[in-house]
Amino acid sequence: MTSDPRSAVIAAARQFYQLGWMVGTAGNLSVRLEDGSFWITASGKQKGDLRDRDFVRIEPNGTVIESPNPDNRPSAETSIHQTIYDLFPDAGACYHVHSVEANIAANFSRDGYLPLPPLEMIKGLGIWQENPEVKMPVFENHLAVRDIAAEVRDRFQAAPPDIPALLIRNHGVTVWGSSPAIAQNYLEIAEYLFRYLVVARQIA
Amino acid sequence: MTSDPRSAVIAAARQFYQLGWMVGTAGNLSVRLEDGSFWITASGKQKGDLRDRDFVRIEPNGTVIESPNPDNRPSAETSIHQTIYDLFPDAGACYHVHSVEANIAANFSRDGYLPLPPLEMIKGLGIWQENPEVKMPVFENHLAVRDIAAEVRDRFQAAPPDIPALLIRNHGVTVWGSSPAIAQNYLEIAEYLFRYLVVARQIA
Amino acid sequence: MTSDPRSAVIAAARQFYQLGWMVGTAGNLSVRLEDGSFWITASGKQKGDLRDRDFVRIEPNGTVIESPNPDNRPSAETSIHQTIYDLFPDAGACYHVHSVEANIAANFSRDGYLPLPPLEMIKGLGIWQENPEVKMPVFENHLAVRDIAAEVRDRFQAAPPDIPALLIRNHGVTVWGSSPAIAQNYLEIAEYLFRYLVVARQIA
Amino acid sequence: MTSDPRSAVIAAARQFYQLGWMVGTAGNLSVRLEDGSFWITASGKQKGDLRDRDFVRIEPNGTVIESPNPDNRPSAETSIHQTIYDLFPDAGACYHVHSVEANIAANFSRDGYLPLPPLEMIKGLGIWQENPEVKMPVFENHLAVRDIAAEVRDRFQAAPPDIPALLIRNHGVTVWGSSPAIAQNYLEIAEYLFRYLVVARQIA
């Protein structure tokens, strides 16, 4: 018997909501199943108290194949999750949230990348170097989310990212990992790095 | 059977209190009933552990028509809630809280409006534009709350606000929505925007 | 049957601890009984999980008259509580905590007083004025706490404070109220004002 | 019957995780037993919900002598804990966490030491002076943790620290105390001091 993978996503969403990263109904979280389809949070749900019925299941090609509640619409940002799962075969979960610090830090980017500080914490993203020099890709925001997804695909096919994370200007961070637990670790580390960057800029 | 709408307000108040937006006994929350009357938190109540008896029910004309506890006085700011319900027939709940960030951000206003940053989060307030340019009305504070309410009425009759939210200088934010859940979403988004504005100003 | 007044103090201490205002074993809280004696937290207790036995009962003259645990020593700052109860006959509870913001804000004082911002929140301290101009007394810290207490007594006898609160430089805030609930409200408001003052100074 | 000392460590880890000091799987905590061996958190564990099986037991010479789960590897930073227990015979617990503020404050150090502010809170670290002048040792970070441990040993043998705490640049704080409760108090105080230092630098 396998437990429903939505459970881990629901618990993560509650925590991210409590941390102020999913206020209003912002953000969307997904988990991929063995058959390649993925469950993603439905549009407009409050993230502090999700239920299994608040998801839709999406085929790799974007078709909705299961919706526990007929009113559910897939998240407006489903195309970004699709792109991540397509580009990264090992990705088992993809989490997108909006923190204040992520949006502030995105303003520190240059030439489409945000340089990250050489903190020990970087090891948690799989980088094992003395004084690591790592940068996070930053994309421009567009009203049509498919345009963002297309730019992610184009750039990542040309230049894979150092770490499993990307920023969209004014629009928060997206991370992916092999499981919901790993994706949650990566998100915690990414947000930690944004907090560091913001505080470092506040120092006189 | 309809559940008592005060339940959602009590849960919201506990959360806002824990977030530091209703310290002391600050702020007041109301919910409108089908008959046009509204339940509003009574004056001087601690907001972290409200009960049904900590409200008074008010007619659209301001008359108290139900008070579960004879000592309850309506919130000093009842006239603002009355004005909002009168001006916006779709408003089903009106929430007023005091965060530090709201009071700091109000100081960034010019000519009675606070320009908001073009964050994706703005979509949650019903604005669906590329790089939205939205501003929040800011009113001066007065010892006599009826004077504030009168200015809100006058200005909103002349120029309806872009979004269902207003600031009073030194006196926090007020939002309204079609239900307690929607008003809570709007409040979370408004406070997120204030945090962003404050942090953006702290960057060297 | 009257409930033990230590219950309210224990609940308040847990909350203040969780807010980061009583880290380590810092701070001390007391509640006065009808006979004029007061229960005060014993020295060196962790404040997140106090029990009734973690207090000592003190006569107005400073004598320990009840100690549920023979190892309990009265808080090193008992003399300040004694002074407050002696000077303010209506004081029923006296709370002293150390937040980062209180210690930063104390550095903004001039001539022994910290000017407070004219926030609506000030009404919660019993000041009911248009654009209130209120200031909080600030005392110098001394290794011998009795020296602090003597300066509080001397200054307050000459010039009673505007509000029921005082700061000690590098040493947090002390508030008092007619009951534990009122003292807690006042403390929440004082800390809110410190947060506002600190953020206002962080704005470029 | 003696309770398992891992219980206190597990509770502390949960709290530090919730405070954002052990995000991802960062940090490591240990407690020493009467026989001189110590339990330390295994590598790569999420710290918000540790179990007894998530530790390994280490001899003073570094040998693993007990591992409830065969997959457990000792924390990569075991050598620092070993060094602390060797240098300080009274140390019964050693806690290492990564807060944003610790990493920012480490940047304020000069000549290998971070000057601490003269806050009353310093008394909680065992310093009982008027306007105490205390500084915390700061070490450089190295990819090989044994190199950090060797520098700690060398410097502390030549110049014992004022207080039971040290910083590693970009790599958080380490504290030690005679028991898990005392180590937790010291850590709370150290983090309080970092927050103060950071906010003090943010003031214009």
Side-chain angles (χ1 to χ4, degrees):
Chain A
M1 201 184 82
T2 308
S3 70
D4 191 316
R6 285 172 288 186
S7 305
V9 177
I10 288 170
R14 181 181 303 117
Q15 180 166 329
F16 303 155
Y17 173 75
Q18 289 170 348
L19 288 165
W21 302 347
M22 303 193 88
V23 306
T25 64
N28 34 78
L29 310 181
S30 72
V31 57
R32 180 148 63 169
L33 308 179
E34 293 205 354
D35 68 0
S37 69
F38 58 91
W39 283 112
I40 189 167
T41 46
S43 186
K45 301 295 181 186
Q46 202 274 355
K47 301 304 191 298
D49 191 27
L50 289 175
R51 307 297 164 101
D52 280 352
R53 64 176 178 267
D54 296 325
F55 290 75
V56 293
R57 190 149 72 89
I58 307 281
E59 286 275 26
N61 67 7
T63 311
V64 174
I65 51 171
E66 191 174 351
S67 182
N69 184 325
D71 294 340
N72 284 355
R73 289 173 299 117
S75 161
E77 278 138 21
T78 297
S79 57
I80 294 176
H81 293 251
Q82 262 184 277
T83 300
I84 294 298
Y85 288 130
D86 187 40
L87 290 173
F88 303 100
D90 291 341
C94 182
Y95 287 178
H96 164 53
V97 303
H98 297 232
S99 74
V100 166
E101 291 82 6
N103 284 333
I104 295 283
N107 296 333
F108 306 156
S109 67
R110 284 179 311 215
D111 301 328
Y113 289 94
L114 175 68
L116 300 178
L119 300 181
E120 183 73 10
M121 195 63 75
I122 293 279
K123 284 186 185 169
L125 294 172
I127 305 289
W128 210 267
Q129 299 169 359
E130 189 102 14
N131 293 315
E133 293 192 12
V134 180
K135 51 198 193 323
M136 191 181 293
V138 182
F139 294 86
E140 296 304 311
N141 198 22
H142 301 293
L143 187 60
V145 177
R146 287 186 177 280
D147 292 348
I148 308 172
E151 291 183 10
V152 169
R153 177 180 297 275
D154 288 351
R155 193 187 325 172
F156 281 4
Q157 282 177 335
D162 295 339
I163 52 173
L166 66 86
L167 276 164
I168 305 168
R169 193 183 300 282
N170 294 326
H171 192 155
V173 72
T174 300
V175 304
W176 54 97
S178 58
S179 69
I182 301 287
Q184 181 164 352
N185 285 349
Y186 289 171
L187 183 57
E188 290 178 7
I189 294 168
E191 292 290 346
Y192 181 96
L193 296 169
F194 301 142
R195 289 197 298 276
Y196 180 93
L197 286 167
V198 169
V199 177
R201 289 278 187 124
Q202 291 169 335
I203 302 302
Chain B
M1 201 184 82
T2 308
S3 70
D4 190 317
R6 285 172 288 186
S7 305
V9 177
I10 289 170
R14 180 181 305 118
Q15 180 165 330
F16 302 156
Y17 173 76
Q18 290 171 347
L19 288 165
W21 302 346
M22 302 194 88
V23 306
T25 63
N28 33 78
L29 310 181
S30 72
V31 56
R32 181 147 63 169
L33 307 180
E34 292 205 355
D35 68 1
S37 69
F38 60 91
W39 283 112
I40 189 168
T41 46
S43 185
K45 301 295 180 186
Q46 202 274 355
K47 300 305 190 297
D49 192 25
L50 289 176
R51 308 297 164 100
D52 281 351
R53 63 175 179 267
D54 297 325
F55 290 74
V56 293
R57 191 149 71 90
I58 308 278
E59 286 274 25
N61 67 7
T63 311
V64 174
I65 51 171
E66 191 174 350
S67 182
N69 183 324
D71 294 340
N72 284 355
R73 289 172 300 115
S75 161
E77 277 137 22
T78 298
S79 57
I80 294 176
H81 294 251
Q82 263 183 276
T83 300
I84 294 297
Y85 287 130
D86 188 40
L87 290 173
F88 302 101
D90 291 342
C94 182
Y95 286 179
H96 164 55
V97 304
H98 297 230
S99 75
V100 166
E101 291 82 6
N103 284 333
I104 295 284
N107 297 333
F108 306 155
S109 67
R110 285 179 311 215
D111 302 328
Y113 289 94
L114 175 69
L116 299 178
L119 301 181
E120 183 73 8
M121 195 62 75
I122 293 278
K123 283 186 185 168
L125 294 172
I127 305 290
W128 210 269
Q129 299 169 0
E130 188 102 14
N131 293 315
E133 293 192 11
V134 179
K135 51 198 193 320
M136 191 180 294
V138 183
F139 294 87
E140 297 303 311
N141 198 21
H142 301 293
L143 187 58
V145 177
R146 287 187 178 281
D147 292 349
I148 307 172
E151 290 183 12
V152 169
R153 177 180 297 275
D154 287 352
R155 190 181 333 167
F156 281 5
Q157 283 178 335
D162 294 341
I163 52 173
L166 65 87
L167 277 164
I168 306 169
R169 192 183 301 281
N170 295 326
H171 191 153
V173 72
T174 300
V175 305
W176 55 97
S178 58
S179 69
I182 301 287
Q184 181 164 350
N185 285 350
Y186 289 170
L187 183 57
E188 290 178 7
I189 294 168
E191 292 290 346
Y192 181 97
L193 297 169
F194 301 143
R195 288 198 300 276
Y196 181 93
L197 287 167
V198 168
V199 176
R201 289 278 186 124
Q202 291 169 335
I203 302 301
Chain C
M1 202 183 80
T2 309
S3 70
D4 191 317
R6 285 172 288 187
S7 305
V9 177
I10 288 170
R14 181 180 304 118
Q15 181 166 331
F16 302 155
Y17 173 74
Q18 290 170 347
L19 288 165
W21 303 346
M22 303 193 87
V23 305
T25 64
N28 33 78
L29 310 180
S30 72
V31 57
R32 181 147 64 170
L33 308 179
E34 292 205 354
D35 68 1
S37 69
F38 59 91
W39 283 112
I40 188 167
T41 46
S43 186
K45 301 294 180 187
Q46 202 273 357
K47 300 305 191 298
D49 192 25
L50 290 174
R51 307 299 163 100
D52 281 352
R53 63 174 180 268
D54 296 325
F55 290 75
V56 292
R57 190 150 71 89
I58 307 279
E59 286 275 26
N61 68 7
T63 311
V64 174
I65 50 172
E66 193 174 348
S67 182
N69 183 325
D71 294 339
N72 284 355
R73 289 172 301 114
S75 160
E77 278 138 22
T78 297
S79 56
I80 294 176
H81 293 251
Q82 262 183 276
T83 300
I84 294 298
Y85 287 130
D86 188 41
L87 290 173
F88 302 101
D90 291 343
C94 181
Y95 286 178
H96 164 54
V97 303
H98 297 232
S99 74
V100 166
E101 291 82 6
N103 283 333
I104 295 285
N107 297 333
F108 306 155
S109 67
R110 284 179 312 214
D111 302 327
Y113 289 94
L114 175 69
L116 300 177
L119 301 181
E120 183 72 9
M121 196 61 75
I122 293 279
K123 282 186 185 168
L125 296 172
I127 306 289
W128 210 268
Q129 298 168 2
E130 189 101 14
N131 292 316
E133 293 192 10
V134 179
K135 52 198 191 323
M136 192 180 294
V138 182
F139 294 88
E140 296 304 312
N141 197 21
H142 301 294
L143 188 59
V145 177
R146 287 188 178 280
D147 292 348
I148 308 172
E151 290 183 11
V152 169
R153 178 180 297 275
D154 287 352
R155 190 184 328 170
F156 281 4
Q157 282 177 335
D162 293 340
I163 52 173
L166 65 88
L167 276 164
I168 305 170
R169 192 183 301 280
N170 294 326
H171 192 154
V173 72
T174 300
V175 304
W176 54 97
S178 57
S179 69
I182 301 287
Q184 182 163 352
N185 285 350
Y186 289 170
L187 183 58
E188 290 178 6
I189 295 169
E191 293 290 347
Y192 181 96
L193 296 169
F194 300 142
R195 287 198 300 276
Y196 180 93
L197 286 167
V198 168
V199 177
R201 288 278 187 125
Q202 291 170 335
I203 301 303
Chain D
M1 202 183 81
T2 309
S3 69
D4 191 316
R6 286 173 287 186
S7 306
V9 177
I10 288 169
R14 182 180 303 117
Q15 181 166 329
F16 303 155
Y17 173 74
Q18 290 170 347
L19 288 165
W21 302 346
M22 303 193 87
V23 305
T25 64
N28 33 79
L29 309 181
S30 71
V31 57
R32 180 148 64 169
L33 308 179
E34 293 205 354
D35 67 1
S37 69
F38 59 92
W39 283 113
I40 188 167
T41 46
S43 185
K45 301 294 180 187
Q46 202 273 357
K47 300 305 191 298
D49 192 26
L50 290 174
R51 307 298 162 102
D52 282 351
R53 64 176 179 266
D54 296 325
F55 290 75
V56 293
R57 190 150 72 89
I58 307 278
E59 285 276 25
N61 67 7
T63 311
V64 174
I65 50 172
E66 192 174 348
S67 182
N69 183 324
D71 294 339
N72 284 355
R73 290 173 300 115
S75 161
E77 277 137 21
T78 298
S79 57
I80 293 177
H81 293 251
Q82 262 183 277
T83 300
I84 294 298
Y85 287 130
D86 188 40
L87 290 173
F88 303 100
D90 291 342
C94 181
Y95 286 178
H96 165 55
V97 304
H98 296 231
S99 74
V100 167
E101 292 82 6
N103 283 334
I104 296 284
N107 296 334
F108 306 157
S109 67
R110 284 179 312 215
D111 302 327
Y113 289 94
L114 175 68
L116 300 178
L119 300 181
E120 183 72 9
M121 195 61 75
I122 294 278
K123 283 186 184 168
L125 294 172
I127 305 290
W128 209 268
Q129 299 168 1
E130 189 101 15
N131 292 317
E133 293 192 12
V134 180
K135 51 199 193 321
M136 191 180 294
V138 182
F139 293 87
E140 295 304 311
N141 197 21
H142 301 294
L143 187 59
V145 177
R146 287 187 178 279
D147 292 349
I148 308 173
E151 290 183 11
V152 168
R153 177 180 297 276
D154 287 351
R155 194 191 317 176
F156 281 5
Q157 282 177 336
D162 295 340
I163 52 173
L166 66 87
L167 277 164
I168 304 169
R169 192 183 302 280
N170 294 327
H171 193 155
V173 72
T174 301
V175 305
W176 54 97
S178 57
S179 70
I182 301 287
Q184 182 164 352
N185 285 350
Y186 289 170
L187 183 57
E188 290 178 7
I189 294 169
E191 292 290 347
Y192 181 96
L193 296 169
F194 301 141
R195 289 198 299 277
Y196 181 93
L197 286 167
V198 168
V199 176
R201 289 278 187 124
Q202 291 169 335
I203 301 302

